[in-house]
Amino acid sequence: MTETVIPFDNSYARLPAPFFTRVEPTAVEAPVLIAFNRPLAEELGLDAAMLEREGAAYFSGNRLLPGAEPLAMAYAGHQFGHFVPLLGDGRAILLGEVIDRLGRRRDIQLKGGGPTPYSRRGDGRAALGPVLREYLVSEAMHALGLPTTRALAAVVTGEPVYREEVLPGAVLTRVAASHLRVGTFQHFAARGDEAALRQLTDYAIARHYPELQDDPVPALALLKAVAERQAFLIARWLSIGFIHGVMNTDNFSISGETIDFGPCAFLDAYDPEKVFSSIDRGGRYAYQNQPAIGQWNLARLAEALLPLLGPDESSAVDAANAVIADYGHRFQHHWSAAMRAKIGLDGADNPEDLELVRDLLGLMQAQAADFTLTFRSLAKAIGESGEHDMLTLFKDAEPVTAWLARWRARLGRDGRAAADRAAAMQAVNPAFIPRNHRIEQAIAAAQAEADFSLFEALRTVLAHPYEDQPALARFAEPPGAGEEVLRTFCGT
Ligand code: AMP
Ligand code: MG
């Protein structure tokens, strides 16, 4: 094999000792490459042809990419509200950072690469099912246009992992703007290590918010910037019906990307109280709680940064509270913009438009209408003759017809051409989302018979979620009787 040059530049590995522990991936028995994201590899400046041939060795951790400096990151986290001062990468190993073709710094990480000093009682491994779910859902999120970590590759290890049952082991190679999270800050705050906190703040700003580098109070500027990105992200989650499932502070990214696709799921029928995660018994991370949890997590970041937020404690607390309160306005702003766009309204925000949004959601909830299909069918219903598809999604058409009449009256007042409006609506209302029942079917076939055909079909259709793909229309459909997934299980 010829050594290929990989543009690694591992800035995190240059931070001092308490930030991480160096650890090599543990080799596996018989790795097989089951998915490789060639366009992403090219974007990262990797040798895609070589990785297509030899990816099994590299993406299992059996062989290290030249220039990688593997390590496990240290971090803390509030898990379901309970603080754990040291979690860390228990089954993820950061290989390093590359500067991609657009000059962006990106982490490459193996998830499931073997035990680390932070594994506690865990085996450091991942099962095939969660690896496939993260691959499909993270790539779907990207295609949907949301900030998210990406999936570069998946391998099966040829080794079993022992959960409630024996499952095939797998490794996901994940790409992220970084793996800095609220929990990283909490870790150093809990240790009372103000120097490390300061260094981490500078590092996070340099990496994600370089425009803030000269701010007089960098930590406060960082807190505001994270508030803005998270408000935007969570508004966009709601707009596509996404439930993250484990919004613990260790899964809350400083860069504002969606990270850690464990028991995540998309809504089928609209139900704001929906929870899929088998471990979320209290509904803490239910669909409609996500904005408030975002605020709660932000408050935890503010607490961690407190010593850096102002000249004395009381001004620091005031500054933090102002940012936390402002997050609510930011979220409202982004949510309103996203939801108004879904019903074909742009221009200045006004209360009547939001009432239309809320009333439609109310009808969908009352009649358990499919979230994605309702919004997708709405563009066609701009003219009365096209409303049939939408009405079939509701058991009782009458209130929907009345809503449509109100909506059309509103559309008539902004004079936008119907074709333009319809095109804009189709560009924000996907036809295809990663439906839970399809993901479960893909996982079941892969686990039972190493049949990856459904996984492949989903990768294909979800790469273009806003395009009608008539030959693949079956993947747009909600679950039939008996197909509905009630619970998804955590990725551990
Ligand atoms: P997660 O729920 O995936 O965000 O993980 C929460 C914490 O548990 C992180 O510190 C993980 O590294 C750790 N963890 C999860 N699964 C395992 C495993 N199989 N082995 C070791 N650590 C794990
Ligand atoms: Mg996590």
Side-chain angles (χ1 to χ4, degrees):
M1 189 201 76
T2 51
E3 288 274 290
T4 47
V5 180
I6 292 173
F8 272 111
D9 176 45
N10 306 322
S11 66
Y12 200 83
R14 295 193 286 268
L15 289 172
F19 285 83
F20 62 86
T21 306
R22 292 186 195 275
V23 59
E24 303 254 328
T26 304
V28 298
E29 195 72 27
V32 178
L33 185 66
I34 53 174
F36 175 55
N37 191 339
R38 190 167 178 140
L40 179 58
E42 282 163 0
E43 186 180 309
L44 295 173
L46 305 179
D47 182 345
M50 182 280 284
L51 289 171
E52 209 142 67
R53 285 192 315 271
E54 301 179 47
Y58 288 110
F59 296 125
S60 59
N62 281 14
R63 206 185 293 159
L64 277 182
L65 290 166
E69 295 176 84
L71 59 85
M73 295 170 74
Y75 54 86
H78 273 91
Q79 302 196 302
F80 291 90
H82 303 287
F83 187 62
V84 185
L86 181 56
L87 287 166
D89 286 332
R91 58 159 165 177
I93 295 179
L94 179 66
L95 295 179
E97 302 145 36
V98 296
I99 309 299
D100 75 10
R101 293 245 158 105
L102 294 174
R104 297 171 301 189
R105 182 177 292 276
R106 321 269 298 264
D107 274 7
I108 303 181
Q109 188 202 60
L110 299 181
K111 192 170 173 182
T116 77
Y118 310 111
S119 294
R120 291 170 290 161
R121 284 183 300 280
D123 59 3
R125 291 297 181 190
L128 177 59
V131 165
L132 296 182
R133 183 184 292 110
E134 175 151 351
Y135 198 111
L136 288 174
V137 183
S138 65
E139 285 302 300
M141 288 294 252
H142 172 71
L144 285 161
L146 274 73
T148 178
T149 64
R150 305 286 307 274
L152 178 62
V155 297
V156 286
T157 59
E159 295 177 1
V161 293
Y162 301 92
R163 300 293 182 258
E164 268 150 40
E165 49 191 320
V166 183
L167 296 166
V171 180
L172 179 81
T173 303
R174 174 159 81 176
V175 173
S178 84
H179 287 82
L180 299 179
R181 46 197 103 210
V182 169
T184 322
F185 288 84
Q186 289 182 294
H187 174 61
F188 295 107
R191 293 161 47 123
D193 188 345
E194 212 177 295
L197 209 51
R198 216 174 275 281
Q199 189 165 16
L200 182 61
T201 301
D202 292 344
Y203 180 83
I205 289 178
R207 191 155 172 183
H208 298 299
Y209 306 97
E211 67 282 6
L212 305 179
Q213 248 154 350
D214 298 322
D215 197 280
V217 191
L220 184 59
L222 175 67
L223 182 65
K224 286 182 191 162
V226 174
E228 167 59 22
R229 294 230 185 133
Q230 285 291 343
F232 174 78
L233 178 67
I234 296 170
R236 295 292 303 275
W237 284 356
L238 295 204
S239 80
I240 54 164
F242 180 70
I243 306 175
H244 181 282
V246 233
M247 288 176 71
N248 292 335
T249 57
D250 53 303
N251 293 337
F252 206 71
S253 143
I254 295 300
S255 76
E257 288 183 331
T258 312
I259 186 165
D260 253 12
F261 297 81
C264 60
F266 281 71
L267 292 173
D268 293 306
Y270 179 61
D271 172 5
E273 283 167 26
K274 191 74 188 171
V275 180
F276 289 100
S277 168
S278 58
I279 52 171
D280 187 3
R281 296 207 173 80
R284 179 180 171 90
Y285 300 139
Y287 172 82
Q288 69 178 1
N289 283 359
Q290 297 181 111
I293 290 291
Q295 191 167 40
W296 193 90
N297 288 347
L298 202 62
R300 304 292 77 74
L301 177 61
E303 266 167 21
L305 288 172
L306 210 57
L308 311 182
L309 291 183
D312 54 68
E313 189 171 324
S314 106
S315 59
V317 169
D318 289 347
N321 282 335
V323 178
I324 292 162
D326 190 48
Y327 161 90
H329 305 299
R330 290 172 191 269
F331 171 78
Q332 268 309 320
H333 165 75
H334 290 303
W335 182 82
S336 161
M339 297 309 289
R340 286 161 56 249
K342 285 176 82 71
I343 65 167
L345 300 174
D346 57 6
D349 200 354
N350 83 61
E352 188 200 340
D353 294 354
L354 272 192
E355 216 173 285
L356 276 168
V357 168
R358 290 189 199 283
D359 290 349
L360 178 59
L361 291 173
L363 289 169
M364 290 162 62
Q365 183 181 0
Q367 301 200 40
D370 186 83
F371 183 85
T372 302
L373 294 185
T374 300
F375 283 109
R376 184 71 180 178
S377 66
L378 195 55
K380 266 204 224 155
I382 291 174
E384 242 170 274
S385 59
E387 68 186 26
H388 173 263
D389 282 5
M390 178 163 169
L391 294 182
T392 58
L393 300 170
F394 290 82
K395 297 176 192 105
D396 176 8
E398 201 188 301
V400 184
T401 312
W403 184 90
L404 284 169
R406 260 172 71 208
W407 175 62
R408 288 191 196 106
R410 167 67 186 85
L411 299 188
R413 289 205 299 279
D414 74 7
R416 197 166 166 199
D420 290 351
R421 193 191 312 273
M425 289 172 71
Q426 298 298 56
V428 293
N429 291 315
F432 299 97
I433 51 159
R435 299 257 179 197
N436 310 320
H437 65 294
R438 290 299 192 183
I439 291 180
E440 293 303 327
Q441 288 163 1
I443 290 172
Q447 266 175 11
E449 332 163 32
D451 172 0
F452 293 93
S453 55
L454 190 49
F455 171 76
E456 284 304 330
L458 290 172
R459 272 179 82 184
T460 305
V461 70
L462 293 169
H464 305 284
Y466 297 105
E467 286 170 24
D468 288 317
Q469 302 175 61
L472 296 168
R474 65 189 182 283
F475 293 116
E477 280 158 28
E483 278 185 330
E484 199 184 347
V485 176
L486 302 174
R487 286 273 173 271
T488 51
F489 294 90
C490 197
T492 48

